[in-house]
């Protein structure tokens, strides 16, 4: 088995776990990636893993960290869904609108 040594290795492992819907292990791998390198993509991935694990308040915090590093339509989309699931309707609408401003073709 390949030994994980850097943030990109942990990121790849996290993506693999996420795609297999193993959200607890994806969350763990994204966190390990972020310990080594605080990049927006790892925050975004962690946000989606947390949201899929129904940990919406944590997902909101993490999506905001991703967006502080780089505005990205998928981070705004994830933020919108997490806000929606925590009954923050107007904030969810605002996040969805920002996502649409950056990428109008998502459904």
């Amino acid at each position: 088995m390949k030994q994980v040594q850097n943030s990109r290795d942990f990121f790849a492992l996290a993506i693999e776990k996420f795609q297999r819907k193993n959200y607890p292990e994806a969350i763990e791998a994204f966190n390990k990636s972020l310990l080594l390198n605080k990049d927006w993509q790892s925050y975004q991935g962690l946000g989606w893993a947390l949201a899929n694990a129904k940990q919406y308040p944590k997902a909101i915090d993490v999506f905001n960290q991703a967006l502080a590093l780089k505005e990205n339509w998928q981070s705004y989309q994830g933020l919108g869904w997490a806000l929606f699931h925590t009954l923050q309707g107007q904030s969810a609408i605002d996040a969805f609108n920002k996502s649409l401003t950056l990428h109008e073709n998502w459904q």
Side-chain angles (χ1 to χ4, degrees):
M1 178 173 214
K2 181 181 168 189
Q3 186 166 353
V4 176
Q5 297 181 4
N6 64 46
S7 67
R8 298 317 296 165
D9 289 341
F10 281 117
F11 181 80
L13 177 64
I15 294 296
E16 176 187 321
K17 298 296 183 182
F18 183 89
Q19 290 173 339
R20 293 180 184 199
K21 298 183 185 342
N22 186 339
Y23 303 121
E25 288 188 21
I27 290 166
E28 182 181 342
F30 279 123
N31 278 320
K32 287 180 180 177
S33 174
L34 286 164
L35 283 174
L36 298 170
N37 183 27
K38 306 253 188 262
D39 69 285
W40 72 272
Q41 290 172 312
S42 291
Y43 279 118
Q44 178 178 276
L46 177 58
W48 279 107
L50 288 164
N52 280 298
K54 299 184 181 356
Q55 297 180 37
Y56 303 117
K58 287 182 184 177
I60 291 167
D61 290 340
V62 171
F63 281 124
N64 281 321
Q65 288 176 290
L67 289 163
L69 295 173
K70 179 180 177 179
E71 283 198 327
N72 177 275
W73 72 272
Q74 290 172 316
S75 294
Y76 277 119
Q77 183 186 47
L79 177 61
W81 283 116
L83 290 164
F84 171 80
H85 285 289
T86 57
L87 305 177
Q88 298 180 60
Q90 187 56 54
S91 294
I93 291 168
D94 294 343
F96 287 138
N97 282 334
K98 286 180 183 176
S99 180
L100 287 167
T101 298
L102 295 172
H103 185 82
E104 15 182 283
N105 296 328
W106 72 268
Q107 298 184 7

